[in-house]
Amino acid sequence: MPSESSLPYRDFLYPLNVLTHVILREEGAVPYLHYGLFDDAHPTLLEAQERSTAVLFDHLPAPPARLLDVGIGLCTTLDRLRRDGYAITGITPDVLQIAFARARFGNDLPVLAVRFEDLDPAVIGPLDVIFFQESSQYIPHQALFSRAGALLPLGGLLLITDEFATRPLHGVGALHQRASLLATARHHGFELTGEQDYSADAAPTIDYFLERLPRYRHSIVAELHLTDRHVDELIASGRGYRALYHDGTYVYRLLQFRRVVLES
Ligand SMILES: C[S@@+](CC[C@H](N)C(=O)[O-])C[C@H]1O[C@@H](n2cnc3c(N)ncnc32)[C@H](O)[C@@H]1O
């Protein structure tokens, strides 16, 4: 059991610190902060998360393509791709994630502490692919596609795995709407070239946390220096998500775009 002083993720932005804690305590390892895609061949969270990464990898060109990983999380994806021979750079605004990743994978990790919206094309150099593994929901669509347009050449590939709303929702924390994301993409010269739905396979991840949050309540509060209110909020949010997945309001998709010539 790690001691409190060995919790380098304690100050990750809430709720990523809580999710990291629960997965680590439950599974004994925490490679990712994304949903699992559960099926008969991938019945555990770690297997289901690996399947999600494999789905993303299936859409990449062969190495040594030049990749940008937006929102590195715990950096497992970036480390894999680097070892596979890709020329990859990762970004995150969270310097604690970078420290965590460097402690795990070495000080020579090609990662930068910057928001995607602020990324300077001159700093990053030429790219073939930009991917957002559950990071697109943190970035306003206009900023996402205008910056991607400045970073990718014509023909460049943009991949997103994430969850979206299928109708307008205005509550605090509501997910981005898929239709408005697609309209913004078109406006910035990004053509949708592929879309796969994984909603049914992703949804059990919500139950995974709903079952475990009450069980880990005490250690979340004591070791992450949070309150019962934080745990209650996550449970309430999880119940809301479960209902919204159930009625099709929330969906989990892989979206693939190509940068094309802008229509006048
Ligand atoms: C849910 S985590 C996913 C992490 C990782 N991609 C994975 O699949 O495990 C979201 C990631 O997006 C990052 N993020 C949040 N806002 C961002 C922004 N504006 N630009 C770049 N990354 C951002 C977070 O710091 C975090 O690394």
Side-chain angles (χ1 to χ4, degrees):
M1 198 63 77
S3 70
E4 188 182 318
S5 60
S6 70
L7 295 184
Y9 56 87
R10 189 178 70 198
D11 298 317
F12 284 2
L13 211 59
Y14 167 85
L16 295 182
N17 52 355
V18 177
L19 305 183
T20 305
H21 187 73
V22 171
I23 298 172
L24 182 60
R25 286 296 160 94
E26 183 72 16
E27 310 293 338
V30 56
Y32 301 112
L33 298 176
H34 57 242
Y35 276 67
L37 300 183
F38 292 83
D39 64 8
D40 289 345
H42 305 86
T44 70
L45 179 75
L46 295 190
E47 288 166 340
Q49 286 186 318
E50 280 304 340
R51 179 176 168 225
S52 173
T53 293
V55 161
L56 177 76
F57 286 9
D58 281 349
H59 289 78
L60 295 175
R66 296 160 300 186
L67 315 181
L68 176 66
D69 178 355
V70 180
I72 55 168
L74 306 179
C75 230
T76 305
T77 301
L78 183 145
D79 179 62
R80 287 274 173 77
L81 292 169
R82 181 175 68 150
R83 286 191 281 115
D84 284 350
Y86 287 97
I88 185 164
T89 305
I91 61 168
T92 174
D94 188 342
V95 290
L96 295 176
Q97 283 171 23
I98 292 189
F100 187 95
R102 287 201 195 286
R104 236 178 199 186
F105 298 116
N107 279 327
D108 61 341
L109 269 189
V111 288
L112 302 171
V114 62
R115 296 189 319 160
F116 182 69
E117 304 88 302
D118 304 327
L119 185 59
D120 181 349
V123 168
I124 211 76
L127 291 171
D128 303 303
V129 181
I130 302 176
F131 67 84
F132 301 78
Q133 204 177 14
E134 285 181 36
S135 53
S136 76
Q137 59 186 274
Y138 300 89
I139 304 166
H141 293 163
Q142 285 288 355
L144 190 156
F145 286 104
S146 75
R147 188 54 45 148
L151 289 161
L152 276 177
L154 287 176
L157 188 62
L158 189 154
L159 294 167
I160 296 177
T161 52
D162 218 329
E163 48 188 357
F164 304 97
T166 54
R167 63 180 171 85
L169 289 174
H170 302 294
V172 177
L175 289 177
H176 288 172
Q177 234 195 106
R178 174 185 166 279
S180 83
L181 177 122
L182 296 188
T184 310
R186 269 194 308 277
H187 178 76
H188 287 279
F190 283 90
E191 180 189 15
L192 183 70
T193 50
E195 176 167 10
Q196 278 101 48
D197 183 74
Y198 293 100
S199 309
D201 296 349
T205 312
I206 301 166
D207 294 316
Y208 175 93
F209 285 105
L210 279 175
E211 277 166 30
R212 286 160 183 81
L213 283 167
R215 202 146 32 87
Y216 288 98
R217 175 186 289 277
H218 178 73
S219 84
I220 290 168
V221 170
E223 295 173 48
L224 300 183
H225 299 183
L226 294 173
T227 63
D228 279 309
R229 192 176 52 78
H230 288 101
V231 181
D232 291 338
E233 251 173 37
L234 276 184
I235 292 172
S237 158
R239 288 188 182 133
Y241 267 60
R242 183 160 62 185
L244 290 164
Y245 265 91
H246 188 68
D247 73 8
T249 300
Y250 279 180
V251 292
Y252 194 100
R253 298 272 160 96
L254 180 139
L255 303 177
Q256 175 178 304
F257 299 90
R258 282 256 172 226
R259 186 164 169 239
V260 294
V261 178
L262 257 180
E263 290 163 23
S264 50

